Amino acid sequence: ETGVTQSPTHLIKTRGQQVTLRCSSQSGHNTVSWYQQALGQGPQFIFQYYREEENGRGNFPPRFSGLQFPNYSSELNVNALELDDSALYLCASSFRRGLEQFFGPGTRLTVL
Amino acid sequence: QQQVKQSPQSLIVQKGGISIINCAYENTAFDYFPWYQQFPGKGPALLIAIRPDVSEKKEGRFTISFNKSAKQFSLHIMDSQPGDSATYFCAASYQGAQKLVFGQGTRLTINP
């Protein structure tokens, strides 16, 4: 059974740029949720994708957007990067929007 | 009302001792309470979870105690080992909510 994978591991961008982060869900899982984890904090929910549609969104501006593909993998896109976007971005997969969510290793984004 | 409050922020326990981390919530709709373990540079890993129909759940050295009337739950790590040194997060959710609401985290250090 393959776990959740994310790419890239680390990323450095400058303010105003755009970034795309990628996630492959655990085999058998069809739901992907994205979280932002600032240093020393708990993860904060960004949004969830199920059946290729957004299925719930946290308190994040529209410049955070996402996609889910037919193979259940997902992308998180962030436009007009701000310094406060620097964080660990976590992807979690689950089965049919289930609450038992399994996290990937994350992508560390640094915005300069 | 969506918050989950976790304490203590940090905890030092001697090898072989019992580590106890506490969480409190306000939203009575929450009916799923997981605990996650996170090592530096890694994503959170699901340790154990409980539903409010039971007051205690044990898996190996890890036990969740749940007090529905007090809206509190706690993680007990028995016979704590240096390998347990990590940050622990409690979380809460309910079916249909999509997201997990995380506590602020507890940095646990087990001294050998």
Side-chain angles (χ1 to χ4, degrees):
Chain A
E1 186 177 274
T2 308
V4 179
T5 60
Q6 292 185 243
S7 64
T9 307
H10 296 90
L11 206 50
I12 299 175
K13 291 286 187 178
T14 56
R15 197 169 48 181
Q17 284 189 312
Q18 177 265 343
V19 68
T20 297
L21 310 181
R22 294 177 175 83
C23 170
S24 291
S25 60
Q26 182 170 313
S27 63
H29 285 181
N30 54 13
T31 304
V32 172
S33 303
W34 287 92
Y35 291 80
Q36 180 195 66
Q37 186 177 23
L39 203 60
Q41 302 294 319
Q44 297 288 318
F45 176 74
I46 303 174
F47 43 55
Q48 183 182 85
Y49 276 84
Y50 174 65
R51 291 185 174 179
E52 301 177 50
E53 291 188 356
E54 188 178 289
N55 178 54
R57 187 179 185 93
N59 190 26
F60 281 82
R63 59 189 184 84
F64 285 78
S65 63
L67 282 173
Q68 187 180 32
F69 300 99
N71 67 353
Y72 310 128
S73 67
S74 177
E75 286 182 355
L76 164 66
N77 299 289
V78 187
N79 294 322
L81 283 167
E82 300 177 359
L83 297 179
D84 284 350
D85 295 333
S86 295
L88 181 68
Y89 287 86
L90 296 162
C91 165
S93 76
S94 57
F95 179 62
R96 289 172 106 183
R97 298 174 290 179
L99 297 177
E100 193 172 58
Q101 298 186 5
F102 296 88
F103 284 83
T107 293
R108 172 71 61 187
L109 173 64
T110 302
V111 182
L112 302 176
Chain B
Q1 213 186 16
Q2 286 290 316
Q3 280 188 324
V4 176
K5 294 183 179 179
Q6 184 172 345
S7 63
Q9 271 192 310
S10 62
L11 180 62
I12 300 174
V13 175
Q14 292 300 118
K15 179 182 173 182
I18 303 173
S19 304
I20 302 174
I21 305 170
N22 302 298
C23 283
Y25 63 97
E26 289 295 322
N27 189 347
T28 54
F30 287 149
D31 64 1
Y32 175 71
F33 303 91
W35 284 89
Y36 284 83
Q37 177 190 58
Q38 186 175 29
F39 292 105
K42 305 291 185 183
L46 180 61
L47 261 181
I48 186 173
I50 197 169
R51 299 241 182 215
D53 52 342
V54 296
S55 60
E56 187 175 281
K57 182 175 180 180
K58 184 176 181 180
E59 288 185 6
R61 295 185 295 110
F62 300 92
T63 300
I64 300 180
S65 297
F66 184 80
N67 185 330
K68 189 173 181 178
S69 60
K71 292 185 284 187
Q72 295 175 348
F73 58 109
S74 59
L75 176 69
H76 296 229
I77 306 175
M78 312 300 286
D79 187 27
S80 299
Q81 298 297 312
D84 296 330
S85 296
T87 300
Y88 292 80
F89 292 96
C90 63
S93 190
Y94 58 89
Q95 199 59 45
Q98 298 95 32
K99 66 180 179 181
L100 295 170
V101 178
F102 283 84
Q104 300 91 328
T106 296
R107 177 174 280 186
L108 174 65
T109 303
I110 308 299
N111 284 335

